[in-house]
């Protein structure tokens, strides 16, 4: 299906390069529009109404973010995002916008083409595809998607999903040819196939289990099945479909190769997606001590021992990127970020957190990556004199909540004389130890003010200030407003 594209990037060479890659690909395109800044993007978006948007996140200021988000929510184009920063904040933005892909610069031609093809496929399937007619007697796709469309009968609904989206068409053909009893129809969607069993069918679960076994005999792609089997339900087909789709997100926790049958609505619980100061300090200590066993235990306890009700998968992904941010700081301490091998593996883990469909796999990949950077850190320790300032700042970022943290503590950690370390600190950073520590504390305070409802007095303690009045005075000097005024300002913009 041909589509209109809008490519927004501040760099002329990036814009033209992305346009050239798109034009020289086999992807059907009706029009390509370019924008060099956010204002131009808004004007061209409203004029052209593109089907697919490729947007550089770094060109959107904090004040413009809400405008961009609202525009995407209203028009709902297929969204590809780019950034020069492989940070947890960029990952959180991509998750928040439900972007199809987040590409970190510098791009590889293969990565860009893969993203383009993925976007084109999704555009082609934005209207669900079928083999033949999309209507079964009194049913159509509209009955699944529109709440106002009613049906004359009650149906049990089963959703089949492959781990690879590219296999959905094959799955649909397989299920169409499979001999089901009391089957009313099948509907192929972009990422799953829906089967409707007649209400009188008593063994839909057994039939689906047998179909899964036969699928696994013929194909290697893992399969997950969810069945809405409330025989007394008065819910519409659309309601059943929405709840079944939501239930399929359980594959993130439970994995594939299984069937889940449910009768009641799924509700996620809330979890704080960010590491609090004590958790940050724990991670700094575990990384510094190369304590892989406690890291494994922490990750297993936090993510692999979860029980129902589960937190929303998006929150778990954000929490994992928060951990990855701590690992990133550790890599910089040992200059591992300057090694292309470690940098490539870091980006692989970053993408695994964002897009991997099974949590267990992401956690295992993260543990393997940490083991590799520990080996790299040990090697670097033997061959290089570590930058004491980088190590000191990393230590401060992990211990800023300690109200008694002193220059002497940090100097002792990096094995330097306090006076010499203070001189070196100012020479390297251009700021004093006290100024840098205050900056770290106030940055964390801003996050807590935005993302939590904790009172200002409690936030002051969490970031290392025993006196709330002194904290408020420091905050006002830094940002020209009180903590409460800052919180209200951010809340009004949301």
């Amino acid at each position: 299906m041909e589509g209109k594209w809008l490519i927004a990037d501040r760099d002329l060479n990036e814009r033209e390069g992305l346009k050239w890659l798109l034009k020289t690909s086999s992807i059907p395109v009706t029009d390509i529009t370019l924008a060099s800044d956010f204002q131009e993007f808004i004007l061209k978006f409203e004029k052209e109404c593109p089907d697919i948007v490729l947007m550089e996140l770094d060109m959107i200021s904090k004040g413009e973010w809400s405008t961009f988000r609202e525009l995407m929510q209203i028009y709902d184009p297929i969204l590809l995002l780019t950034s020069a920063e492989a940070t947890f904040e960029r990952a959180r933005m991509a998750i928040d916008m439900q972007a199809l892909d987040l590409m970190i610069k510098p791009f590889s031609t293969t990565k860009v083409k893969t993203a383009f093809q993925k976007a084109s496929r999704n555009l082609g399937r934005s209207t669900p595809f079928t083999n033949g007619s999309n209507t079964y007697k009194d049913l159509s796709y509209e009955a699944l998607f529109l709440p106002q469309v009613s049906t004359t009968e009650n149906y049990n609904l089963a959703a089949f999903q492959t781990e690879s989206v590219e296999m959905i068409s094959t799955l649909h053909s397989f299920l169409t040819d499979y001999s089901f009893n009391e089957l009313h129809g099948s509907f192929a969607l972009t990422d799953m196939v829906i089967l409707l069993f007649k209400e009188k069918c008593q063994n839909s679960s057994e039939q689906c289990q047998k179909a899964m076994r036969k699928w696994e005999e013929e194909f290697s792609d893992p399969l997950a099945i969810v069945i809405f089997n409330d025989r007394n339900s008065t819910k519409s087909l659309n309601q059943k479909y929405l709840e079944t789709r939501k239930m399929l997100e359980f594959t993130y926790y439970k994995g594939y190769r299984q069937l889940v049958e449910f009768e009641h609505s799924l509700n996620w619980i809330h979890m704080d997606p960010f590491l609090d100061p004590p958790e940050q300090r724990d991670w700094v200590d575990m990384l510094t001590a190369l304590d892989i066993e406690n890291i494994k235990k922490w990750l297993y306890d936090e993510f692999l021992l979860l029980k129902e009700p589960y937190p929303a998968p998006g929150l778990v992904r954000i929490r994992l990127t928060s951990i990855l941010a701590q690992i990133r700081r550790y890599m910089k301490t040992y200059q591992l970020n300057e090694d292309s091998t470690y940098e490539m593996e870091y980006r692989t883990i970053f993408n695994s957190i964002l897009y991997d469909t099974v949590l267990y796999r992401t956690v295992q990949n993260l543990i393997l990556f940490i083991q590799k950077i520990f080996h790299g850190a040990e090697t670097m320790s033997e061959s290089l004199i570590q930058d004491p300032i980088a190590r000191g700042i990393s230590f401060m970022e992990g211990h800023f909540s300690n109200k008694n943290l002193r220059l002497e503590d940090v100097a002792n950690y990096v094995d330097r004389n306090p006076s010499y370390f203070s001189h070196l600190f100012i020479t390297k950073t251009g700021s004093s130890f006290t100024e840098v520590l205050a900056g770290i504390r106030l940055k964390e305070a801003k996050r807590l003010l935005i993302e939590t409802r904790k009172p200002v007095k409690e936030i002051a303690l969490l970031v290392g200030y025993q006196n709330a009045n002194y904290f408020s005075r420091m905050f006002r000097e830094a940002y020209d407003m009180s903590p409460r005024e800052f919180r209200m300002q951010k809340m009004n913009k949301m």
Side-chain angles (χ1 to χ4, degrees), residues 350-389:
F350 186 78
N351 286 324
S352 174
I353 290 172
L354 289 185
Y355 304 116
D356 218 326
T357 54
V358 181
L359 176 59
Y360 177 82
R361 187 184 304 141
T362 298
V363 171
Q364 292 301 320
N365 289 339
L366 184 60
I367 290 170
L368 290 173
F369 177 63
I370 294 171
Q371 289 175 322
K372 289 179 181 179
I373 65 171
F374 279 175
H375 176 73
E378 289 178 323
T379 302
M380 292 294 286
S381 296
E382 295 171 359
S383 60
L384 296 174
I385 299 175
Q386 297 173 34
D387 181 352
I389 302 306

Side-chain angles (χ1 to χ4, degrees), residues 214-338:
K214 184 170 179 58
W215 167 267
E216 291 182 347
E217 290 174 3
E218 298 184 19
F219 303 95
S220 58
D221 201 55
L223 190 67
I225 304 174
V226 167
I227 299 178
F228 187 101
N229 213 7
D230 185 358
R231 303 185 188 282
N232 299 317
S233 175
T234 58
K235 294 177 179 175
S236 67
L237 191 59
N238 171 253
Q239 289 173 316
K240 292 181 180 180
Y241 161 70
L242 292 176
E243 292 188 10
T244 303
R245 171 174 280 281
K246 191 175 181 182
M247 180 63 73
L248 265 174
E249 294 186 59
F250 261 50
T251 55
Y252 186 60
Y253 299 104
K254 294 178 176 291
Y256 285 77
R257 291 192 169 92
Q258 63 176 304
L259 182 148
V260 177
E261 188 171 357
F262 75 106
E263 298 180 358
H264 305 290
S265 301
L266 165 69
N267 291 309
W268 302 119
I269 60 170
H270 178 74
M271 71 175 295
D272 187 350
F274 303 100
L275 297 179
D276 59 30
E279 290 172 327
Q280 292 177 16
R281 187 164 58 250
D282 287 343
W283 269 95
V284 170
D285 291 343
M286 289 189 296
L287 290 168
T288 302
L290 309 181
D291 191 354
I292 191 64
E293 292 306 317
N294 270 325
I295 286 175
K296 285 181 182 178
K297 184 178 185 306
W298 198 101
L299 291 172
Y300 287 166
D301 290 347
E302 184 73 16
F303 298 112
L304 302 186
L305 299 181
L306 291 170
K307 296 180 180 179
E308 297 183 36
Y310 294 106
L315 295 178
V316 175
R317 294 183 191 275
I318 293 173
R319 190 157 176 78
L320 283 164
T321 60
S322 186
I323 292 168
L324 194 60
Q326 297 296 322
I327 296 170
R328 184 67 168 176
R329 293 190 186 100
Y330 178 81
M331 290 175 63
K332 290 181 178 179
T333 300
Y334 290 91
Q335 302 172 25
L336 298 179
N337 60 303
E338 298 175 10

Side-chain angles (χ1 to χ4, degrees), residues 46-65:
E46 293 180 341
K47 179 182 178 181
E48 302 295 336
C49 293
D51 304 297
I52 301 172
V53 169
L54 175 58
M55 184 73 180
E56 180 192 15
L57 274 176
D58 309 331
M59 72 158 48
I60 309 172
S61 69
K62 290 183 179 179
E64 295 165 336
W65 178 250

Side-chain angles (χ1 to χ4, degrees), residues 23-136:
K23 289 181 69 175
T24 55
S25 71
S26 59
I27 296 171
V29 178
T30 56
D31 186 47
I32 305 174
T33 305
L34 303 180
S36 60
D37 57 45
F38 188 72
Q39 287 70 33
E40 185 179 11
F41 167 79
I42 293 295
L43 290 173
K44 291 189 174 180
F45 183 92
E46 293 180 341
K47 179 182 178 181
E48 302 295 336
C49 293
D51 304 297
I52 301 172
V53 169
L54 175 58
M55 184 73 180
E56 180 192 15
L57 274 176
D58 309 331
M59 72 158 48
I60 309 172
S61 69
K62 290 183 179 179
E64 295 165 336
W65 178 250
S66 60
T67 300
F68 175 69
R69 181 170 56 187
E70 289 172 5
L71 198 64
M72 295 302 101
Q73 289 174 343
I74 292 171
Y75 290 93
D76 196 27
I78 294 171
L79 185 60
L80 299 172
L81 297 176
T82 70
S83 176
E85 302 177 20
T87 62
F88 111 93
E89 177 62 22
R90 289 293 183 254
R92 187 174 68 84
M93 287 178 166
I95 294 170
D96 179 42
M97 294 303 302
Q98 297 184 351
L100 187 63
D101 206 341
L102 172 61
M103 295 182 286
I104 303 299
K105 299 180 180 182
F107 306 128
S108 71
T109 301
T110 302
K111 173 66 176 174
V112 173
K113 286 184 176 180
T114 300
F116 283 173
Q117 290 166 356
K118 188 191 300 184
S120 181
R121 284 196 302 270
N122 274 264
L123 179 62
R125 296 172 183 173
S126 58
T127 301
F129 60 84
T130 67
N131 291 353
S133 172
N134 69 344
T135 301
Y136 294 92

Side-chain angles (χ1 to χ4, degrees), residues 7 11 18 50 69 105 166 174 185 200-201 277 285 288 300 317 339 355 361 366 370 373 388 424 428 449 469:
I7 300 174
D11 187 278
L18 291 167
R69 181 170 56 187
K105 299 180 180 182
E166 287 73 16
F174 169 82
K200 63 182 179 180
C201 179
D285 291 343
T288 302
Y300 287 166
R317 294 183 191 275
D339 186 310
Y355 304 116
R361 187 184 304 141
L366 184 60
I370 294 171
I373 65 171
L424 198 63
K428 188 75 177 283
L449 286 165
N469 291 330

